[in-house]
Amino acid sequence: MPIRHLSAKAAHGILIRIGRDFHLATEGVVTKAAIAGSKLLPAYLALLGGIVCIAWSAIFVRWTDIPGPASAFYRMLIPAVVLLPTFFFDRRRPALDARTLAIIAFGGLFFAFDLALYNTAILQTSAANATLLGNNTPIFVGLLTWLVFRQRPARAFWLGLLMAIAGAVVILWADLTHHTRIGVGDLEALAASACFAVYLMVTEKIRNSTGTLAFLRLAMISSTIALLLMNLAMGISLRMPHGRTIWAVLGLGLISQLGGYLFLTYALGHLPATLTSISLLTQGPLTAAMAAVLLGEPLSLAQVLGGLLVLTGVGLAHRQRHPEDECNV
């Protein structure tokens, strides 16, 4: 019966009940959204902290006086030693099965390749070039997702891929105008981003069933062993000169690696790899600005143009309207 046909008292009671029910319903929605937001806030803060820490890595590598694979080895060895005692805090957790251990070791191997290539690239090209080209990780994440998991990327991905390739060509061409040989460091940075894409994808798949400390500890140990074998196979000396190199290596291990990837691995447990890799793009401009101030590497017009194309293309390749819907909360 319509409300206008009821008595004033009855209609008033119905309206009060309707208002109370509406208040309870909206309060539940708001409370649920607030809880979801409170869970995601630490993840976003951890992602921000990881970006700042990792942005220092190119600066620290430039301040060392040892080959790239050697600085990569110490970058992994220092945090691995620091995290080793945390094994005793995780003894009550269920032991990881052989499959999980194998996947973590697989991810650690590609992380080792990433660091060896990236550290070498920084010594052979500018810090800005190495960081901007090394930020093509989301492109490789999308390609690997398509090739391995048969998930066809959206149309925007292909446009972003073309823009990122155009930006890389601009940066490479600018290098060729200054050097008679092809920019090997630029190509190594691109290869490093592909290896890091594999690491990100493996991390996302395993983090749902593995604690942050347990994953980091095992991944760093496997990466350290892989880097040790790489250096021995290439005949690279691991002797470290005194002075600035020691402080730079400590910065690499404690700030860029331990601090940066502790933050990043926590964020990956709550945010998708695509969103994380897009956010990591901000380290490119940040590192370029730091290199201009600390290393005396002013940006050229070609680097600015190529960098803008790369960053815009990579961001477009993995544009998400509602990334929070894919969070592993």
Side-chain angles (χ1 to χ4, degrees), residues 221-234:
I221 290 174
S222 61
S223 296
T224 302
I225 295 173
L227 284 166
L228 175 61
L229 295 177
M230 286 181 199
N231 281 279
L232 293 177
M234 292 185 291

Side-chain angles (χ1 to χ4, degrees), residues 58-59 61-63 117-134 168 170-176 178-179 181-192 287 291 295-300 303:
I59 309 298
V61 170
R62 274 298 186 88
W63 284 343
L117 288 167
Y118 179 68
N119 284 18
T120 304
I122 292 171
L123 299 177
Q124 295 184 353
T125 186
S126 68
N129 279 17
T131 305
L132 290 170
L133 294 174
V170 170
I171 293 175
L172 285 168
W173 184 261
D175 266 6
L176 286 175
H178 292 86
H179 307 285
R181 59 185 178 85
I182 191 171
V184 177
D186 296 335
L187 296 180
E188 288 172 337
L190 286 171
T287 298
L295 302 178
E297 294 182 356
L299 289 173
S300 65
Q303 285 177 314

Side-chain angles (χ1 to χ4, degrees), residues 110-147:
F110 275 87
F111 198 4
F113 286 139
D114 164 52
L115 291 181
L117 288 167
Y118 179 68
N119 284 18
T120 304
I122 292 171
L123 299 177
Q124 295 184 353
T125 186
S126 68
N129 279 17
T131 305
L132 290 170
L133 294 174
N135 266 319
N136 276 277
T137 296
I139 296 293
F140 289 104
V141 169
L143 288 174
L144 289 173
T145 300
W146 177 45
L147 295 173

Side-chain angles (χ1 to χ4, degrees), residues 35-290:
I35 292 174
S38 65
K39 288 182 178 180
L40 289 178
L41 180 60
Y44 284 114
L45 291 177
L47 183 57
L48 176 62
I51 290 169
V52 174
C53 291
I54 297 171
W56 274 95
S57 61
I59 309 298
F60 287 137
V61 170
R62 274 298 186 88
W63 284 343
T64 64
D65 296 317
I66 54 179
S71 63
F73 167 73
Y74 287 111
R75 175 176 177 170
M76 296 303 296
L77 176 65
I78 292 171
V81 172
V82 172
L83 288 178
L84 195 58
T86 62
F87 168 78
F88 298 100
F89 297 101
D90 287 342
R91 294 182 66 181
R92 295 183 180 180
R93 291 179 176 270
L96 299 178
D97 55 39
R99 177 179 176 274
T100 300
L101 291 173
I103 293 177
I104 292 176
F106 181 74
L109 175 63
F110 275 87
F111 198 4
F113 286 139
D114 164 52
L115 291 181
L117 288 167
Y118 179 68
N119 284 18
T120 304
I122 292 171
L123 299 177
Q124 295 184 353
T125 186
S126 68
N129 279 17
T131 305
L132 290 170
L133 294 174
N135 266 319
N136 276 277
T137 296
I139 296 293
F140 289 104
V141 169
L143 288 174
L144 289 173
T145 300
W146 177 45
L147 295 173
V148 177
F149 300 107
R150 302 299 180 184
Q151 297 178 9
R152 187 177 180 85
R155 189 176 303 174
F157 171 83
W158 301 109
L159 177 59
L161 175 61
L162 291 176
M163 293 183 68
I165 292 175
V169 169
V170 170
I171 293 175
L172 285 168
W173 184 261
D175 266 6
L176 286 175
T177 60
H178 292 86
H179 307 285
T180 56
R181 59 185 178 85
I182 191 171
V184 177
D186 296 335
L187 296 180
E188 288 172 337
L190 286 171
S193 67
C195 293
F196 189 61
V198 177
Y199 168 77
L200 277 179
M201 295 178 69
V202 172
T203 301
E204 186 185 33
K205 299 300 180 183
I206 294 300
R207 277 290 288 112
N208 290 330
S209 58
T210 310
T212 299
L213 281 177
F215 178 87
L216 269 182
R217 185 174 58 245
L218 293 171
M220 287 183 179
I221 290 174
S222 61
S223 296
T224 302
I225 295 173
L227 284 166
L228 175 61
L229 295 177
M230 286 181 199
N231 281 279
L232 293 177
M234 292 185 291
I236 297 176
S237 174
L238 294 177
R239 292 186 59 186
M240 189 162 48
H242 298 288
R244 185 180 67 173
T245 298
I246 295 178
W247 293 107
V249 166
L250 286 174
L252 269 176
L254 297 177
I255 297 176
S256 296
Q257 189 60 46
L258 183 60
Y261 286 93
L262 187 62
F263 284 134
L264 180 59
T265 303
Y266 175 82
L268 275 170
H270 302 271
L271 303 172
T274 49
L275 176 63
T276 307
S277 56
I278 291 173
S279 301
L280 284 171
L281 293 178
T282 56
Q283 70 165 301
L286 180 57
T287 298
M290 293 168 62

